[in-house]
Amino acid sequence: MTETEAALRTLAHNVRAARTRAGLSLDELGRRAQISKGALVALEKAQGNPNFATLVRLADTLGVSVSALTEGKAEARVRVVSADALPPLWTGPRGGAARLMLTTPGPAPVEVWRWELEPDEEYPSHPHRTGVVETVSVTSGRMTLVVDGTEHGVEAGQTAVFDGDAAHTYRGSGTGTCHLIMTVHLPPGGAGPA
């Protein structure tokens, strides 16, 4: 079995398990996440290739982290993760990338992401469920964070925090690559009504 096949099987198992725990039918999950029933059936059969936006919508709807859908069981007490060992879950048209480094365990998990954005490259995100909070810490370069249509410049050494239930966009700005660490703080509990 290839790495891709193994990853799809893990994803299929985790989506099905999270959907069952949430008590949602395929139809209801599809309606809430705005994903076709056919795509969900294929995903739960370990077929297809869901994009990053689809994974985020599923995670939001199911009340879990993206990594809860994509990762197998943790095997060690301490986990050290190298960005080079992780495939990007998003790649931009100019070479930018987003990698989900890890998700902390517990009732209110935190996703830790490593992003690279090239100048004028952007990633628009749909609003997350109520209670999700994001932070963006720029380690080098500059970015523009757009929340509800308002632009906020964030430079190296600065961190921005905002409620993720509003439309938001990350955009590289300046002349060089913007490197940032983004965290997504998920509220405790399972999927709420959509």
Side-chain angles (χ1 to χ4, degrees), residues 21-34:
R21 276 192 309 274
L24 297 175
S25 67
L26 285 167
D27 287 325
E28 184 62 14
L29 176 58
R31 184 190 68 74
R32 291 184 185 190
Q34 300 174 350

Side-chain angles (χ1 to χ4, degrees), residues 154-194:
V154 186
E155 299 184 16
Q158 294 182 323
T159 298
V161 62
F162 63 97
D163 292 334
D165 61 355
H168 52 283
T169 299
Y170 302 130
R171 182 184 316 126
S173 55
T175 58
T177 303
C178 175
H179 295 270
L180 61 103
I181 303 296
M182 186 251 306
T183 62
V184 180
H185 302 257
L186 303 168

